[in-house]
């Protein structure tokens, strides 16, 4: 049992890394794809909404499929779909074909996102301690590898079509290799006739509240992705090379923070991780808003990333553990609204810049972080037994972490 659980954890790491790598390879080749399709930035911006729309639809559909058929079946299928779909943008020759390609790619990405997070919840339930944040860190690391590989292939003169096709083949091989190690379903559906018939359960208000928090916090993450570099360029007049470090500081701090969060959550509990993490993020972004100096702004973006790093994984974990038989559906709600928040970052901040300076618009995500810190007790499980969950997040006063024999390093040793 212990060996299969460790293998399942390693397979989950593999799919998270694959997802980050595949989507990172698409991002690296956006300029090349845009040029091949013969479109401008404005048209590309609208077409990227199709990527988000496809992801949202995929998330909502695959949540129930994962609950019904098990993550062991759905995760590899989603990995194959996402890997195949990444080839399509490289083949697009105009805006119409690119839009269709992005819709399919978004759908595949949404399917893989929810199904692999649902399997991560199952792995975490087996370990009986927090392991979710490390999976999200590996997703980020996959994106870093994509940037390195993409930069190399571009320097060698490879076309986007060739590189994305090679990425697709790599994804197919990895999906086939990792699939057998995924855990079999551990469901109590046999005791729940309505669920066994595939009846759609009613989503509890607590899940919608967690989804609302995810939307706010992922909007904050989207703000860093889209506006951190511009903040240093336009507000502090930093050189382009220096301004690029703003996003670098944020993303590096977020990745490192996610590698460390599981151990922190095991000791102080997810409520404290969300409360203090969101508070730290608010403090860091406030420093960015008020800073007249480039070094202080860079530190602020780093603190912002470190604070946010553990928040979203705790929300996904809490949603998945709320009800073992509806884990996929619940994760899809949180991930879906969170994704909308990520996409809303540019839409919300952009118009505000017509009213106030760019740095002052960041007070909105500061307020969202404050709301998350103030409502962190939503992460507390209401009734783990009734929910059918075998895993309960440790409380700060619990002291010891259960099932010591399954403990290991973040790499699964």
């Amino acid at each position: 049992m212990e060996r299969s659980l460790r293998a399942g954890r390693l397979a989950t790491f593999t799919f998270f890394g694959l997802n980050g790598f595949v989507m990172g390879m698409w991002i690296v080749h956006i300029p090349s794809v845009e040029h091949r399709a013969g479109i401008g930035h404005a048209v590309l911006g609208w077409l990227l909404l199709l990527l988000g729309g496809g992801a949202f639809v995929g998330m909502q559909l695959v949540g129930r499929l994962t609950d019904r058929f098990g993550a062991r079946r759905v995760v590899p299928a989603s990995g194959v779909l996402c890997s195949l779909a990444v080839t399509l943008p490289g083949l697009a020759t105009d805006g119409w074909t690119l839009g269709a390609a992005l819709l399919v790619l978004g759908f595949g990405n949404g399917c893989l996102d929810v199904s692999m997070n649902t399997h991560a919840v199952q792995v975490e339930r087996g370990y009986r301690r927090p392991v979710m944040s490390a999976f999200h860190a590996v997703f980020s690391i996959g994106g870093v590898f994509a940037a390195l590989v993409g930069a190399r292939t571009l320097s060698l003169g490879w076309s986007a079509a060739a590189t994305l096709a090679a990425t697709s083949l790599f994804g197919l091989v990895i999906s086939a290799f990792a699939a057998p190690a995924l855990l079999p379903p551990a469901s109590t559906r046999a005791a729940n006739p309505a669920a066994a018939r595939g009846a759609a359960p009613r989503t509890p208000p607590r899940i919608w509240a967690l989804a609302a928090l995810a939307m706010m916090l992922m909007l904050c993450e989207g703000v860093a992705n889209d506006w951190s570099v511009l903040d240093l360029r336009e507000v502090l007049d930093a050189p382009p090379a220096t301004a690029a470090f703003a996003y670098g500081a944020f993303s590096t701090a977020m990745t490192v923070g996610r590698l460390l969060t599981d151990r922190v959550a095991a000791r102080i509990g997810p409520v404290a991780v969300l409360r203090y993490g969101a508070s730290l993020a608010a403090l860091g972004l406030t420093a960015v808003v008020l800073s007249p100096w480039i070094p202080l702004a860079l530190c602020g973006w780093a603190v912002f990333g470190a604070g946010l790093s553990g928040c979203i994984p705790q929300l996904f974990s809490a949603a998945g553990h709320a009800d073992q038989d509806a884990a996929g559906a619940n994760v899809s709600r949180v991930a879906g609204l969170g994704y909308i928040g990520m996409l809303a970052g540019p839409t919300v901040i952009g118009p505000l810049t017509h009213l106030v300076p760019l740095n002052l618009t960041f007070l909105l995500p500061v307020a969202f972080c404050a709301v998350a810190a103030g409502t962190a007790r939503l992460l507390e499980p209401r009734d783990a037994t009734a929910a059918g969950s075998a895993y309960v997040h440790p409380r700060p006063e619990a002291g010891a972490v259960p099932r010591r024999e399954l403990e290991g390093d973040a790499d699964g040793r």
Side-chain angles (χ1 to χ4, degrees):
M1 174 62 184
E2 180 178 343
R3 178 172 296 180
S4 64
L5 186 59
R6 289 184 183 276
R9 187 185 185 193
L10 180 59
T12 311
F13 276 126
T14 301
F15 278 104
F16 269 82
L18 175 63
N19 191 203
F21 181 77
V22 167
M23 296 308 296
M25 290 298 285
W26 146 246
I27 292 172
V28 168
H29 289 89
I30 286 178
S32 301
V33 170
E34 181 187 37
H35 177 74
R36 176 183 169 88
I39 59 174
H41 296 333
V43 174
L44 177 64
W46 286 106
L47 292 180
L48 288 175
L49 293 178
L50 293 174
L51 181 75
F56 182 81
V57 172
M59 288 174 179
Q60 303 315 304
L61 176 64
V62 86
R64 289 194 62 199
L65 291 177
T66 305
D67 290 334
R68 185 162 188 173
F69 298 107
R72 189 174 194 174
R73 295 183 181 180
V74 179
V75 172
S78 300
V80 168
L81 176 59
C82 189
S83 298
L84 289 174
V86 77
T87 304
L88 301 179
L91 302 176
T93 56
D94 54 38
W96 292 102
T97 53
L98 180 57
L102 292 181
L103 188 65
V104 176
L105 178 59
F107 183 83
N109 179 51
C111 290
L112 183 54
D113 192 315
V114 167
S115 60
M116 71 185 185
N117 271 287
T118 304
H119 187 267
V121 170
Q122 187 178 346
V123 172
E124 189 172 60
R125 187 178 292 116
Y127 270 84
R128 304 181 70 86
R129 64 181 175 87
V131 297
M132 178 67 80
S133 291
F135 295 135
H136 286 250
V138 171
F139 174 88
S140 300
I141 293 172
V144 172
F145 275 108
L148 296 175
V149 173
R152 181 58 176 166
T153 57
L154 287 170
S155 69
L156 293 174
W158 288 26
S159 68
T163 305
L164 294 179
T167 302
S168 176
L169 180 61
F170 174 76
L172 295 176
V173 172
I174 293 298
S175 296
F177 176 78
L182 295 172
L183 300 179
S187 176
T188 59
R189 282 185 175 273
N192 188 340
R197 290 193 302 268
R202 178 177 176 271
T203 302
R206 175 172 175 255
I207 298 300
W208 288 119
L210 293 174
L213 287 181
M215 183 169 63
M216 288 188 285
L217 291 176
M218 290 184 73
L219 184 146
C220 295
E221 186 175 340
V223 166
N225 293 340
D226 297 311
W227 299 102
S228 57
V229 175
L230 282 174
D231 170 62
L232 261 72
R233 285 285 294 140
E234 296 186 1
V235 178
L236 299 180
D237 198 26
T242 302
F245 281 109
Y247 177 69
F250 170 82
S251 59
T252 300
M254 174 166 278
T255 302
V256 173
R258 285 180 170 172
L259 288 171
L260 301 175
T261 295
D262 287 330
R263 291 188 176 275
V264 175
R267 294 187 177 278
I268 68 176
V271 173
V273 170
L274 179 58
R275 177 178 295 131
Y276 297 122
S279 299
L280 184 65
L283 180 64
L285 195 54
T286 300
V288 172
V289 172
L290 301 178
S291 174
W293 305 298
I294 292 174
L296 179 58
L298 291 173
C299 289
W301 284 115
V303 172
F304 185 50
L308 283 181
S309 62
C311 295
I312 292 298
Q314 304 311 309
L315 297 176
F316 278 45
S317 181
H321 289 299
D323 184 345
Q324 180 172 324
D325 289 333
N330 290 339
V331 169
S332 73
R333 303 293 187 266
V334 174
L337 283 188
Y339 205 81
I340 289 176
M342 178 81 76
L343 295 175
T347 306
V348 171
I349 296 299
L352 288 178
T353 59
H354 296 294
L355 304 176
V356 295
L358 175 60
N359 59 322
L360 293 184
T361 67
F362 297 154
L363 291 175
L364 178 63
V366 167
F368 286 162
C369 289
V371 170
T375 58
R377 293 187 71 87
L378 283 170
L379 290 181
E380 288 187 346
R382 302 301 166 84
D383 188 349
T385 302
S389 174
Y391 171 85
V392 178
H393 284 296
R395 295 177 182 273
E397 63 269 21
V401 179
R403 291 188 68 175
R404 180 70 181 177
E405 68 275 12
L406 289 180
E407 286 198 0
D409 296 330
D411 60 3
R413 291 180 295 174

